[in-house]
């Protein structure tokens, strides 16, 4: 089976909920624990052996380009969305000529997870990836493990690993981590590259949920959900407490 070798990181958002911190810099360059959020994501991928990245940029793109160009430990290709923001699905479609046709592992830049028992979550997901029974594999985490999130949750997982969305129910036990392995072939009927148009990944996900082709991998370690200045402060306090206790 084809093992993903390229990562796509969504980093083009405006970061409106993080204002005033994003008045002068893009959200992925906001620091947590002394390091920009985007570098937390890159470092986790590199530790798992993935060193080729496609990263989309829009807001304050020059700052992103300058920062990413300073990384010498990986290959970074920029997917330029400075003209039009394309949302989660459109962002992937725009980048597909750069990504290629093999499955890609996608991540947001504002959800930072801590590895559990020294095991790389990315490596575990790459091992669990089975394109014969799934078209996408999402990283999910139990809600009690999330710092900076108090919502109703997103999914529950069946005995086979397939996901069921919360729908009209008041809550679900897990939150989507923004981490996902997905097949580019799912975008075959969408405009790609310069022809990409804005759309949400939900337009891809919805039929997969109905077909049982959308699976989940459960991460049981802590997860930091950075959405606004308060959640950033909460995450910083959480990490300081762990460091004080001798944990990484």
């Amino acid at each position: 089976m084809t093992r993903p070798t390229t990562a796509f990181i969504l980093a083009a958002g405006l970061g409106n909920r993080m204002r005033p911190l994003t008045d002068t810099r893009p959200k992925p360059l906001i620091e947590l624990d002394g390091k920009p959020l985007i570098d937390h994501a890159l470092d986790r991928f590199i530790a798992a052996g993935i060193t080729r990245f496609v990263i989309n940029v829009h807001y304050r793109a020059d700052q992103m380009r300058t920062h990413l160009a300073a990384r010498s430990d990986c290959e970074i290709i920029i997917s330029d969305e400075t003209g039009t923001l394309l949302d989660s699905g459109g962002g992937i479609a725009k980048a597909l000529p750069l990504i290629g046709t093999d499955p890609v592992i996608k991540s947001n830049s504002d959800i930072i997870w801590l590895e559990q028992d020294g095991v790389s979550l990315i490596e575990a997901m790459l091992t669990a990836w089975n394109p014969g029974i799934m078209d996408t594999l999402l990283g999910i985490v139990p809600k009690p493990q999330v710092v900076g999130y108090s919502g109703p949750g997103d999914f529950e997982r069946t005995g086979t690993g397939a996901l069921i969305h919360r729908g009209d129910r008041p809550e679900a036990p897990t939150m989507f981590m923004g981490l996902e392995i997905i097949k580019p072939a799912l975008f075959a009927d969408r405009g790609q590259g310069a022809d990409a148009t804005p759309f949400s990944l939900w337009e891809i996900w919805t039929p997969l949920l109905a077909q049982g082709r959308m699976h989940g991998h459960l991460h049981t370690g802590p997860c930091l959900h950075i959405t606004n200045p308060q959640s950033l402060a909460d995450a910083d306090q959480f990490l300081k407490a762990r460091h004080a206790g001798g944990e990484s």
Side-chain angles (χ1 to χ4, degrees):
M1 64 185 69
T2 303
R3 180 184 173 97
T5 58
T6 295
F8 175 67
I9 300 180
L10 289 162
L14 297 174
N16 288 328
R17 288 180 292 176
M18 287 296 291
R19 295 190 186 280
L21 298 178
T22 50
D23 285 345
T24 58
R25 56 183 164 171
K27 184 178 179 181
L29 296 187
I30 290 174
E31 291 194 357
L32 172 66
D33 201 29
K35 183 163 63 176
L37 295 176
I38 189 72
D39 287 334
H40 283 279
L42 288 169
D43 289 347
R44 279 159 176 74
F45 277 104
I46 291 171
I50 290 189
T51 58
R52 182 180 189 270
F53 300 90
V54 178
I55 301 176
N56 65 350
V57 298
H58 174 81
Y59 177 63
R60 299 194 176 272
D62 288 346
Q63 290 184 32
M64 288 293 296
R65 289 178 182 275
T66 298
H67 179 81
L68 294 171
R71 300 264 330 199
S72 59
D73 55 349
C74 58
E75 177 187 6
I76 297 177
I77 304 166
I78 298 297
S79 179
D80 191 333
E81 288 184 30
T82 51
T84 304
L85 271 176
L86 295 170
D87 204 345
S88 55
I92 295 176
K94 164 82 172 180
L96 282 181
L98 305 173
I99 291 170
T101 57
D102 289 337
V104 61
I105 182 164
K106 181 222 76 174
S107 179
N108 294 354
S109 58
D110 58 0
I111 298 180
I112 307 301
W113 64 91
L114 307 184
E115 308 292 16
Q116 185 73 350
D117 300 325
V119 177
S120 164
L121 171 60
I122 292 172
E123 178 62 35
M125 287 185 62
L126 292 174
T127 299
W129 171 245
N130 183 351
I133 64 172
M134 58 186 74
D135 290 324
T136 182
L137 177 66
L138 274 60
I140 56 175
V141 61
K143 288 190 297 179
Q145 287 292 89
V146 185
V147 175
Y149 177 78
S150 58
D154 301 308
F155 299 102
E156 63 178 283
R157 193 171 61 151
T158 68
T160 65
L163 292 179
I164 300 172
H165 185 247
R166 183 186 75 249
D168 295 330
R169 289 168 294 171
E171 60 181 357
T174 68
M175 184 196 81
F176 172 48
M177 301 173 61
L179 187 63
E180 172 185 14
I181 300 175
I182 191 166
K183 296 177 179 178
L186 297 170
F187 298 80
D189 62 348
R190 302 280 180 168
Q192 300 178 14
D195 296 325
T197 56
F199 70 93
S200 169
L201 261 177
W202 274 104
E203 295 185 28
I204 302 291
W205 285 356
T206 298
L208 300 183
L209 281 166
Q211 298 160 13
R213 300 282 300 180
M214 186 172 179
H215 284 230
H217 179 87
L218 187 67
H219 176 63
T220 57
C223 183
L224 313 176
H225 191 220
I226 314 300
T227 57
N228 53 43
Q230 183 59 56
S231 65
L232 180 67
D234 291 344
D236 185 65
Q237 183 178 13
F238 178 83
L239 290 177
K240 286 179 177 176
R242 282 179 63 92
H243 296 334
E247 297 180 89
S248 61

